[in-house]
Amino acid sequence: DSGVTQTPKHLITATGQRVTLRCSPRSGDLSVYWYQQSLDQGLQFLIQYYNGEERAKGNILERFSAQQFPDLHSELNLSSLELGDSALYFCASSPSFTSGRPGAGELFFGEGSRLTVL
Amino acid sequence: AQKVTQAQTEISVVEKEDVTLDCVYETRDTTYYLFWYKQPPSGELVFLIRRNSFDEQNEISGRYSWNFQKSTSSFNFTITASQVVDSAVYFCALSEAGGSQGNLIFGKGTKLSVKP
């Protein structure tokens, strides 16, 4: 158990819909990262938050957005869903001493939220 | 540009065989970190090891060992006396400590199947 909690574990929805994925980082971790894992693209970094502020952005679509709340949990919002958005979405957190830079410490991943868009 | 290549897509071995998973990386930074993660069939990503670019010492942890060679930009992972429970997808990843992008670059993964 990594200590990172993600909900829901599975989600099935239709094209055009909007979903919210939730992540609670490990206790004390200030950084939250979102990754997407799909068969064709592999594991791709989407976005990082550190103590409530956006720190880095990767290959995140404009239809997707995220935020980190004062209690440090994070939500990833996916809207106008398309079939190609079906994937496993991971949240990860890293130790606070890294000051938001993952190179200084490993990422601890949650179990992922599997999104299926029909 | 940063890149991680895991040339072996799938490997199948019989239990008790030794197996080496290859990882080659590209980076222009002098300070960087390398990682291995395991993804068992249940789906979660499990951290195995982190190595920084200044530490080329090989590491052994039980049946696992890692060989880091800067000269060939490789960070290979060996499982000795493999077991069925080692069946998983293994990912190598790179992070540039000085970069503005605070993220890990993952390879495509190597699926290891250990048969009894």
Side-chain angles (χ1 to χ4, degrees), chain A residues 95-115:
Chain A
S96 301
F97 67 80
T98 67
S99 299
R101 291 178 291 109
E106 63 267 26
L107 298 190
F108 294 89
F109 284 83
E111 293 185 348
S113 293
R114 184 170 295 282
L115 172 67

Side-chain angles (χ1 to χ4, degrees), chain A residues 29-102:
Chain A
D29 286 357
L30 300 182
S31 275
V32 168
Y33 306 78
W34 286 97
Y35 280 80
Q36 179 195 59
Q37 184 179 30
S38 61
L39 280 174
D40 51 346
Q41 298 292 330
L43 269 162
Q44 285 201 106
F45 168 69
L46 295 179
I47 197 165
Q48 177 204 354
Y49 279 82
Y50 178 73
N51 203 19
E53 293 187 3
E54 184 183 302
R55 179 59 68 97
K57 226 170 184 176
N59 299 319
I60 188 167
L61 300 172
E62 285 191 13
R63 300 183 286 108
F64 297 179
S65 64
Q67 54 184 327
Q68 186 180 26
F69 295 87
D71 66 353
L72 300 178
H73 91 271
S74 177
E75 292 181 356
L76 178 66
N77 301 297
L78 316 174
S79 61
S80 303
L81 285 168
E82 302 175 358
L83 296 177
D85 297 327
S86 296
L88 188 54
Y89 291 86
F90 283 105
C91 169
S93 70
S94 65
S96 301
F97 67 80
T98 67
S99 299
R101 291 178 291 109

